[in-house]
Every structure is written in structure tokens, then in C-alpha cells.
Amino acid sequence: MVTEDDLRTVLAELHRLRTRVPQLTGALAAGVDGLVIAHDTPGVDPEGLAALTAAALGVAVRTADATGNGALRELLVRGERGYVATYAAGRTAVLTLLAQDRVNVGRLHLEGRRAGARVGELLDAAEAVRPLPATAPARPLGPRAPRTPAAEPRTATDS
């Protein structure tokens, strides 16, 4: 279970990240289901951003899977005035960063990957102590298992 202390720690990590990369204009930790975990997104609706991130993530995961490139690690969108970068953060969360167009993209990736790993470790540890839900858990970011057709019942005439 994610406690208030865990959420404060995630939020502190988002603030530290924005300090380390001054060109960041926002940072959001969200579940792959599109629900906000913590955010530092002045001027941007965090719920809307989390929902859009989940939608983009769904397409990106399927694209990586369909092309045989393995589990999704990150997603980068460049607009005329800046970047939206999303990084895997553990099994069921993502870190989305908003940055100005003048950001050093290498630095953005370096810091985003590190912060995503830290946030993921914290959230995965919190999830490990949470009781299992009655319904199926959220699908992790890794590739899907290949589908195999169900075995047909054999008859006496089958060879």
C-alpha cells in the first residue's frame, strides 16, 4: 500500500528532478492506468496529463511489442515548444516529464531514467506490501506473452 510518506517521497523526488534540470516545466508520476500518483505540473492539469500518458503508453507498448523491441523503456514526443518524455517507473507506474525546447535531451534522458528507477523502486516496494486485489492487477509494462491457440480435442480418427 502506498502511504502518505511514500507519496511525499515521490513528490520530493519530482521537486529534486526539476531542480537538477532547470528546463523542466513539469513532472508527473502516474500509474499505467492513468491515475495520478504525485505531480509537480504548474499550469498543466495532472489528471488530463496522466490520462493522455496512459493512452500514449498503450500505443507505445503495443508498438514495441509488435516490432520485437522488448518492453517499453521510454517514450519521447517533441513539439514545437518542448518535449514530453515518459519513462518506465517500476512494474505499474510511469514518470512523465515536460521540458522546454532548449533542454539538453541527453541530460533529460539521464535524469529521467534515474528518477524513474528511484520512483519505481519506491512504488514497487509499496505495492509488495499491499494485499492482492480481488480483480486482476494492472498489466506491467513488459511484453505480452504470445497467444497460443487452445489445443483441439483429439478424436479417435486423428493421426
Side-chain angles (χ1 to χ4, degrees):
M1 176 176 199
V2 179
T3 66
E4 287 295 320
D5 285 342
D6 294 334
L7 294 178
R8 279 193 289 275
T9 303
V10 171
L11 186 57
E13 179 60 35
L14 299 182
H15 291 305
R16 283 191 300 274
L17 179 60
R18 289 200 56 204
T19 300
R20 288 191 307 269
V21 184
Q23 295 81 20
L24 285 184
T25 59
L28 169 106
V32 295
D33 57 2
L35 297 178
V36 175
I37 295 169
H39 69 91
D40 181 9
T41 56
V44 176
D45 172 36
E47 287 82 14
L49 180 59
L52 287 170
T53 296
L57 185 64
V59 172
V61 165
R62 295 209 50 183
T63 301
D65 190 29
T67 57
N69 287 329
L72 178 78
R73 302 279 304 268
E74 57 199 39
L75 172 65
L76 181 68
V77 176
R78 181 177 183 200
E80 290 178 352
R81 291 181 290 281
Y83 294 88
V84 179
T86 300
Y87 303 91
R91 293 184 309 272
T92 60
V94 292
L95 173 68
T96 296
L97 304 178
L98 309 176
Q100 298 170 352
D101 189 44
R102 61 189 178 94
V103 71
N104 177 320
V105 177
R107 176 85 187 271
L108 175 68
H109 284 319
L110 176 71
E111 296 292 347
R113 290 170 187 152
R114 285 179 179 167
R118 283 191 293 274
V119 168
E121 287 171 5
L122 177 70
L123 295 175
D124 286 351
E127 287 287 321
V129 299
R130 187 174 85 179
L132 293 176
T135 59
R139 183 174 171 264
L141 296 178
R144 292 184 298 174
R147 289 187 176 172
T148 56
E152 294 290 320
R154 296 187 58 88
T155 64
T157 58
D158 289 340
S159 51

